[in-house]
mmCIF file of all heavy atoms in Angstrom:
data_model
loop_
_atom_site.group_PDB
_atom_site.id
_atom_site.type_symbol
_atom_site.label_atom_id
_atom_site.label_comp_id
_atom_site.label_asym_id
_atom_site.label_seq_id
_atom_site.Cartn_x
_atom_site.Cartn_y
_atom_site.Cartn_z
ATOM 1 N N ALA A 384 98.533 100.113 141.699
ATOM 2 C CA ALA A 384 98.036 99.318 142.884
ATOM 3 C C ALA A 384 97.332 98.063 142.313
ATOM 4 O O ALA A 384 97.556 96.859 142.803
ATOM 5 C CB ALA A 384 97.136 100.053 143.839
ATOM 6 N N SER A 385 96.512 98.258 141.196
ATOM 7 C CA SER A 385 95.714 97.028 140.738
ATOM 8 C C SER A 385 96.480 96.418 139.471
ATOM 9 O O SER A 385 96.028 95.501 138.970
ATOM 10 C CB SER A 385 94.406 97.611 140.300
ATOM 11 O OG SER A 385 94.448 98.537 139.226
ATOM 12 N N ASP A 386 97.612 97.205 139.037
ATOM 13 C CA ASP A 386 98.266 96.625 137.870
ATOM 14 C C ASP A 386 97.305 96.614 136.602
ATOM 15 O O ASP A 386 97.396 95.689 135.830
ATOM 16 C CB ASP A 386 98.999 95.364 137.994
ATOM 17 C CG ASP A 386 100.052 95.088 136.967
ATOM 18 O OD1 ASP A 386 100.586 95.873 136.344
ATOM 19 O OD2 ASP A 386 100.383 93.898 136.854
ATOM 20 N N CYS A 387 96.430 97.627 136.482
ATOM 21 C CA CYS A 387 95.545 97.622 135.502
ATOM 22 C C CYS A 387 95.653 98.936 134.556
ATOM 23 O O CYS A 387 95.975 99.839 135.038
ATOM 24 C CB CYS A 387 94.115 97.637 135.937
ATOM 25 S SG CYS A 387 93.560 96.024 136.768
ATOM 26 N N LEU A 388 95.481 98.759 133.240
ATOM 27 C CA LEU A 388 95.265 99.716 132.267
ATOM 28 C C LEU A 388 93.894 100.087 132.087
ATOM 29 O O LEU A 388 93.136 99.213 131.924
ATOM 30 C CB LEU A 388 95.736 99.292 130.780
ATOM 31 C CG LEU A 388 97.295 99.397 130.589
ATOM 32 C CD1 LEU A 388 97.581 98.821 129.188
ATOM 33 C CD2 LEU A 388 97.905 100.694 130.688
ATOM 34 N N PHE A 389 93.556 101.305 132.151
ATOM 35 C CA PHE A 389 92.241 102.024 131.970
ATOM 36 C C PHE A 389 92.273 102.571 130.586
ATOM 37 O O PHE A 389 93.097 103.505 130.486
ATOM 38 C CB PHE A 389 91.742 102.760 133.055
ATOM 39 C CG PHE A 389 91.478 102.013 134.393
ATOM 40 C CD1 PHE A 389 92.689 101.801 135.216
ATOM 41 C CD2 PHE A 389 90.382 101.687 134.626
ATOM 42 C CE1 PHE A 389 92.443 101.181 136.444
ATOM 43 C CE2 PHE A 389 90.138 100.987 135.826
ATOM 44 C CZ PHE A 389 91.212 100.745 136.735
ATOM 45 N N VAL A 390 91.490 102.128 129.715
ATOM 46 C CA VAL A 390 91.497 102.570 128.204
ATOM 47 C C VAL A 390 90.190 103.266 127.988
ATOM 48 O O VAL A 390 89.016 102.676 128.050
ATOM 49 C CB VAL A 390 91.777 101.573 127.299
ATOM 50 C CG1 VAL A 390 91.741 102.103 125.887
ATOM 51 C CG2 VAL A 390 93.150 100.837 127.628
ATOM 52 N N GLY A 391 90.242 104.473 127.555
ATOM 53 C CA GLY A 391 88.990 105.306 127.063
ATOM 54 C C GLY A 391 88.971 105.178 125.492
ATOM 55 O O GLY A 391 89.867 105.351 124.801
ATOM 56 N N THR A 392 87.803 104.702 125.071
ATOM 57 C CA THR A 392 87.517 104.477 123.574
ATOM 58 C C THR A 392 86.468 105.534 123.171
ATOM 59 O O THR A 392 85.995 106.432 123.967
ATOM 60 C CB THR A 392 87.052 103.146 123.261
ATOM 61 O OG1 THR A 392 85.686 103.058 123.719
ATOM 62 C CG2 THR A 392 87.954 102.080 124.055
ATOM 63 N N TYR A 393 86.017 105.395 121.874
ATOM 64 C CA TYR A 393 85.059 106.275 121.373
ATOM 65 C C TYR A 393 83.612 105.952 121.889
ATOM 66 O O TYR A 393 82.605 106.650 121.514
ATOM 67 C CB TYR A 393 85.052 106.309 119.850
ATOM 68 C CG TYR A 393 85.393 107.588 119.290
ATOM 69 C CD1 TYR A 393 86.538 108.263 119.675
ATOM 70 C CD2 TYR A 393 84.714 108.298 118.290
ATOM 71 C CE1 TYR A 393 86.868 109.601 119.318
ATOM 72 C CE2 TYR A 393 85.013 109.483 117.837
ATOM 73 C CZ TYR A 393 85.984 110.081 118.230
ATOM 74 O OH TYR A 393 86.386 111.237 117.790
ATOM 75 N N GLY A 394 83.501 104.976 122.881
ATOM 76 C CA GLY A 394 82.256 104.710 123.290
ATOM 77 C C GLY A 394 82.201 104.058 124.760
ATOM 78 O O GLY A 394 81.152 103.699 125.148
ATOM 79 N N SER A 395 83.357 103.893 125.374
ATOM 80 C CA SER A 395 83.358 103.226 126.595
ATOM 81 C C SER A 395 84.684 103.443 127.397
ATOM 82 O O SER A 395 85.650 104.069 126.897
ATOM 83 C CB SER A 395 83.238 101.694 126.362
ATOM 84 O OG SER A 395 84.224 101.224 125.588
ATOM 85 N N LEU A 396 84.652 102.911 128.653
ATOM 86 C CA LEU A 396 85.871 102.768 129.338
ATOM 87 C C LEU A 396 86.093 101.363 129.708
ATOM 88 O O LEU A 396 85.261 100.543 130.170
ATOM 89 C CB LEU A 396 85.741 103.466 130.843
ATOM 90 C CG LEU A 396 86.851 103.473 131.716
ATOM 91 C CD1 LEU A 396 88.010 104.175 131.297
ATOM 92 C CD2 LEU A 396 86.508 103.991 133.188
ATOM 93 N N GLU A 397 87.267 100.921 129.367
ATOM 94 C CA GLU A 397 87.688 99.430 129.424
ATOM 95 C C GLU A 397 88.933 99.272 130.526
ATOM 96 O O GLU A 397 89.656 100.234 130.616
ATOM 97 C CB GLU A 397 88.051 98.765 128.161
ATOM 98 C CG GLU A 397 87.095 99.120 126.975
ATOM 99 C CD GLU A 397 85.755 98.321 127.151
ATOM 100 O OE1 GLU A 397 85.724 97.338 127.906
ATOM 101 O OE2 GLU A 397 84.764 98.755 126.582
ATOM 102 N N MET A 398 88.908 98.141 131.055
ATOM 103 C CA MET A 398 90.033 97.748 132.090
ATOM 104 C C MET A 398 90.735 96.517 131.643
ATOM 105 O O MET A 398 90.126 95.541 131.390
ATOM 106 C CB MET A 398 89.465 97.572 133.552
ATOM 107 C CG MET A 398 90.495 97.453 134.535
ATOM 108 S SD MET A 398 89.735 97.337 136.239
ATOM 109 C CE MET A 398 89.057 95.706 136.210
ATOM 110 N N ILE A 399 92.046 96.655 131.582
ATOM 111 C CA ILE A 399 92.870 95.557 131.161
ATOM 112 C C ILE A 399 93.818 95.197 132.388
ATOM 113 O O ILE A 399 94.738 96.032 132.729
ATOM 114 C CB ILE A 399 93.776 95.868 129.930
ATOM 115 C CG1 ILE A 399 92.882 96.327 128.811
ATOM 116 C CG2 ILE A 399 94.635 94.733 129.538
ATOM 117 C CD1 ILE A 399 93.532 96.967 127.696
ATOM 118 N N ASN A 400 93.753 94.005 132.938
ATOM 119 C CA ASN A 400 94.676 93.499 133.972
ATOM 120 C C ASN A 400 95.876 92.993 133.431
ATOM 121 O O ASN A 400 95.895 91.990 133.006
ATOM 122 C CB ASN A 400 93.831 92.556 134.831
ATOM 123 C CG ASN A 400 94.517 92.098 136.139
ATOM 124 O OD1 ASN A 400 95.800 92.352 136.388
ATOM 125 N ND2 ASN A 400 93.855 91.528 137.050
ATOM 126 N N LEU A 401 96.909 93.771 133.650
ATOM 127 C CA LEU A 401 98.247 93.440 133.098
ATOM 128 C C LEU A 401 98.858 92.259 133.853
ATOM 129 O O LEU A 401 99.846 91.571 133.393
ATOM 130 C CB LEU A 401 99.232 94.535 133.201
ATOM 131 C CG LEU A 401 98.812 95.654 132.248
ATOM 132 C CD1 LEU A 401 99.823 96.797 132.271
ATOM 133 C CD2 LEU A 401 98.427 95.145 130.727
ATOM 134 N N SER A 402 98.349 91.812 135.117
ATOM 135 C CA SER A 402 98.851 90.675 135.770
ATOM 136 C C SER A 402 98.347 89.423 135.243
ATOM 137 O O SER A 402 98.840 88.257 135.602
ATOM 138 C CB SER A 402 98.433 90.713 137.291
ATOM 139 O OG SER A 402 99.072 91.826 137.926
ATOM 140 N N SER A 403 97.263 89.535 134.451
ATOM 141 C CA SER A 403 96.686 88.193 133.742
ATOM 142 C C SER A 403 97.636 87.584 132.835
ATOM 143 O O SER A 403 98.412 88.388 132.243
ATOM 144 C CB SER A 403 95.363 88.585 133.133
ATOM 145 O OG SER A 403 94.859 87.528 132.460
ATOM 146 N N PRO A 404 97.600 86.386 132.667
ATOM 147 C CA PRO A 404 98.510 85.637 131.810
ATOM 148 C C PRO A 404 98.221 86.121 130.209
ATOM 149 O O PRO A 404 99.125 86.238 129.495
ATOM 150 C CB PRO A 404 98.259 84.151 131.959
ATOM 151 C CG PRO A 404 97.633 84.093 133.282
ATOM 152 C CD PRO A 404 96.852 85.311 133.583
ATOM 153 N N ASN A 405 96.916 86.405 130.049
ATOM 154 C CA ASN A 405 96.492 86.928 128.754
ATOM 155 C C ASN A 405 95.737 88.093 128.851
ATOM 156 O O ASN A 405 94.418 87.989 128.756
ATOM 157 C CB ASN A 405 95.907 85.818 128.010
ATOM 158 C CG ASN A 405 96.541 84.521 127.654
ATOM 159 O OD1 ASN A 405 97.566 84.570 126.854
ATOM 160 N ND2 ASN A 405 96.237 83.426 128.252
ATOM 161 N N PRO A 406 96.332 89.269 129.069
ATOM 162 C CA PRO A 406 95.498 90.519 129.529
ATOM 163 C C PRO A 406 94.418 90.809 128.560
ATOM 164 O O PRO A 406 93.288 91.259 128.933
ATOM 165 C CB PRO A 406 96.741 91.547 129.631
ATOM 166 C CG PRO A 406 97.933 90.757 129.820
ATOM 167 C CD PRO A 406 97.776 89.547 129.075
ATOM 168 N N PHE A 407 94.777 90.779 127.223
ATOM 169 C CA PHE A 407 93.680 91.219 126.382
ATOM 170 C C PHE A 407 92.676 90.246 126.014
ATOM 171 O O PHE A 407 91.759 90.516 125.199
ATOM 172 C CB PHE A 407 94.467 91.615 125.023
ATOM 173 C CG PHE A 407 95.375 92.848 125.260
ATOM 174 C CD1 PHE A 407 96.754 92.594 125.233
ATOM 175 C CD2 PHE A 407 94.869 94.157 125.362
ATOM 176 C CE1 PHE A 407 97.697 93.740 125.435
ATOM 177 C CE2 PHE A 407 95.687 95.194 125.560
ATOM 178 C CZ PHE A 407 97.129 95.097 125.641
ATOM 179 N N ASN A 408 92.757 89.048 126.665
ATOM 180 C CA ASN A 408 91.606 88.098 126.533
ATOM 181 C C ASN A 408 90.615 88.216 127.511
ATOM 182 O O ASN A 408 89.553 87.450 127.573
ATOM 183 C CB ASN A 408 92.146 86.685 126.377
ATOM 184 C CG ASN A 408 92.878 86.438 125.102
ATOM 185 O OD1 ASN A 408 92.671 86.965 124.078
ATOM 186 N ND2 ASN A 408 93.867 85.500 125.185
ATOM 187 N N SER A 409 90.900 89.070 128.584
ATOM 188 C CA SER A 409 89.928 89.171 129.664
ATOM 189 C C SER A 409 89.649 90.812 130.025
ATOM 190 O O SER A 409 89.696 91.179 131.005
ATOM 191 C CB SER A 409 90.517 88.438 130.985
ATOM 192 O OG SER A 409 91.720 88.994 131.134
ATOM 193 N N VAL A 410 89.415 91.445 128.954
ATOM 194 C CA VAL A 410 89.288 92.975 129.090
ATOM 195 C C VAL A 410 87.856 93.123 129.783
ATOM 196 O O VAL A 410 86.826 92.518 129.306
ATOM 197 C CB VAL A 410 89.313 93.622 127.726
ATOM 198 C CG1 VAL A 410 89.047 95.150 127.862
ATOM 199 C CG2 VAL A 410 90.629 93.429 127.146
ATOM 200 N N LYS A 411 87.804 94.001 130.793
ATOM 201 C CA LYS A 411 86.539 94.206 131.556
ATOM 202 C C LYS A 411 86.003 95.495 131.095
ATOM 203 O O LYS A 411 86.496 96.543 131.135
ATOM 204 C CB LYS A 411 86.801 94.186 132.966
ATOM 205 C CG LYS A 411 85.565 94.389 133.852
ATOM 206 C CD LYS A 411 85.879 94.279 135.329
ATOM 207 C CE LYS A 411 84.671 94.478 136.205
ATOM 208 N NZ LYS A 411 84.946 94.437 137.613
ATOM 209 N N HIS A 412 84.642 95.434 130.635
ATOM 210 C CA HIS A 412 83.869 96.730 130.241
ATOM 211 C C HIS A 412 83.446 97.350 131.572
ATOM 212 O O HIS A 412 82.704 96.732 132.318
ATOM 213 C CB HIS A 412 82.777 96.329 129.365
ATOM 214 C CG HIS A 412 81.829 97.511 128.985
ATOM 215 N ND1 HIS A 412 82.197 98.521 128.116
ATOM 216 C CD2 HIS A 412 80.706 97.793 129.453
ATOM 217 C CE1 HIS A 412 81.299 99.471 128.042
ATOM 218 N NE2 HIS A 412 80.368 98.949 128.888
ATOM 219 N N LEU A 413 83.761 98.657 131.631
ATOM 220 C CA LEU A 413 83.372 99.419 133.009
ATOM 221 C C LEU A 413 82.235 100.351 132.744
ATOM 222 O O LEU A 413 81.265 100.258 133.513
ATOM 223 C CB LEU A 413 84.540 100.117 133.544
ATOM 224 C CG LEU A 413 85.732 99.250 133.915
ATOM 225 C CD1 LEU A 413 86.809 100.302 134.407
ATOM 226 C CD2 LEU A 413 85.346 98.225 134.955
ATOM 227 N N VAL A 414 82.336 101.252 131.771
ATOM 228 C CA VAL A 414 81.309 102.279 131.578
ATOM 229 C C VAL A 414 81.039 102.468 130.120
ATOM 230 O O VAL A 414 82.013 102.552 129.341
ATOM 231 C CB VAL A 414 81.758 103.676 132.320
ATOM 232 C CG1 VAL A 414 80.762 104.717 132.021
ATOM 233 C CG2 VAL A 414 82.078 103.438 133.720
ATOM 234 N N SER A 415 79.798 102.641 129.696
ATOM 235 C CA SER A 415 79.408 103.153 128.406
ATOM 236 C C SER A 415 79.298 104.593 128.293
ATOM 237 O O SER A 415 78.412 105.174 129.206
ATOM 238 C CB SER A 415 78.291 102.385 127.875
ATOM 239 O OG SER A 415 78.411 100.957 127.758
ATOM 240 N N CYS A 416 79.998 105.194 127.475
ATOM 241 C CA CYS A 416 79.849 106.746 127.453
ATOM 242 C C CYS A 416 80.189 107.324 126.036
ATOM 243 O O CYS A 416 80.605 106.396 125.233
ATOM 244 C CB CYS A 416 80.693 107.324 128.553
ATOM 245 S SG CYS A 416 82.370 106.964 128.327
ATOM 246 N N SER A 417 80.078 108.547 125.923
ATOM 247 C CA SER A 417 80.499 109.146 124.638
ATOM 248 C C SER A 417 82.078 109.152 124.615
ATOM 249 O O SER A 417 82.670 108.678 125.570
ATOM 250 C CB SER A 417 79.968 110.429 124.217
ATOM 251 O OG SER A 417 80.227 111.280 125.456
ATOM 252 N N ALA A 418 82.669 109.648 123.483
ATOM 253 C CA ALA A 418 84.193 109.557 123.371
ATOM 254 C C ALA A 418 84.859 110.131 124.558
ATOM 255 O O ALA A 418 84.689 111.246 125.086
ATOM 256 C CB ALA A 418 84.554 110.441 122.144
ATOM 257 N N VAL A 419 85.820 109.329 125.064
ATOM 258 C CA VAL A 419 86.652 109.655 126.193
ATOM 259 C C VAL A 419 87.871 110.305 125.764
ATOM 260 O O VAL A 419 88.679 109.847 124.843
ATOM 261 C CB VAL A 419 87.033 108.419 127.057
ATOM 262 C CG1 VAL A 419 88.005 108.743 128.158
ATOM 263 C CG2 VAL A 419 85.801 107.552 127.576
ATOM 264 N N HIS A 420 88.268 111.414 126.320
ATOM 265 C CA HIS A 420 89.306 112.255 125.885
ATOM 266 C C HIS A 420 90.552 112.238 126.959
ATOM 267 O O HIS A 420 91.669 112.558 126.581
ATOM 268 C CB HIS A 420 89.001 113.640 125.538
ATOM 269 C CG HIS A 420 87.967 113.777 124.407
ATOM 270 N ND1 HIS A 420 88.360 113.480 123.152
ATOM 271 C CD2 HIS A 420 86.641 114.068 124.387
ATOM 272 C CE1 HIS A 420 87.261 113.686 122.315
ATOM 273 N NE2 HIS A 420 86.237 114.005 123.225
ATOM 274 N N GLY A 421 90.234 111.972 128.084
ATOM 275 C CA GLY A 421 91.251 112.042 129.205
ATOM 276 C C GLY A 421 90.795 111.213 130.410
ATOM 277 O O GLY A 421 89.649 111.174 130.772
ATOM 278 N N ILE A 422 91.917 110.606 131.137
ATOM 279 C CA ILE A 422 91.787 109.890 132.199
ATOM 280 C C ILE A 422 92.874 110.244 133.206
ATOM 281 O O ILE A 422 94.124 110.339 132.782
ATOM 282 C CB ILE A 422 91.832 108.391 131.918
ATOM 283 C CG1 ILE A 422 90.898 107.960 130.923
ATOM 284 C CG2 ILE A 422 91.466 107.559 133.384
ATOM 285 C CD1 ILE A 422 90.972 106.451 130.486
ATOM 286 N N SER A 423 92.522 110.545 134.536
ATOM 287 C CA SER A 423 93.570 110.982 135.491
ATOM 288 C C SER A 423 93.243 110.512 136.702
ATOM 289 O O SER A 423 92.074 110.145 137.090
ATOM 290 C CB SER A 423 93.674 112.563 135.437
ATOM 291 O OG SER A 423 94.640 112.891 136.469
ATOM 292 N N ALA A 424 94.296 110.362 137.679
ATOM 293 C CA ALA A 424 94.064 109.951 138.910
ATOM 294 C C ALA A 424 93.265 110.847 139.711
ATOM 295 O O ALA A 424 93.259 112.073 139.550
ATOM 296 C CB ALA A 424 95.436 109.781 139.806
ATOM 297 N N TYR A 425 92.338 110.326 140.645
ATOM 298 C CA TYR A 425 91.513 111.151 141.465
ATOM 299 C C TYR A 425 91.267 110.645 142.897
ATOM 300 O O TYR A 425 90.900 109.518 143.110
ATOM 301 C CB TYR A 425 90.183 111.149 140.841
ATOM 302 C CG TYR A 425 89.025 111.962 141.540
ATOM 303 C CD1 TYR A 425 89.285 113.372 141.665
ATOM 304 C CD2 TYR A 425 87.970 111.378 142.113
ATOM 305 C CE1 TYR A 425 88.235 114.157 142.281
ATOM 306 C CE2 TYR A 425 87.015 112.141 142.777
ATOM 307 C CZ TYR A 425 87.178 113.573 142.938
ATOM 308 O OH TYR A 425 86.246 114.352 143.651
#
Side-chain angles (χ1 to χ4, degrees):
S385 63
D386 196 22
C387 288
L388 278 178
F389 293 84
V390 178
T392 74
Y393 244 49
S395 65
L396 177 68
E397 309 290 335
M398 184 176 74
I399 304 166
N400 188 340
L401 298 182
S402 296
S403 171
N405 299 294
F407 294 104
N408 290 334
S409 56
V410 178
K411 183 178 180 181
H412 174 76
L413 299 180
V414 178
S415 294
C416 56
S417 59
V419 176
H420 297 290
I422 308 172
S423 180
Y425 178 66

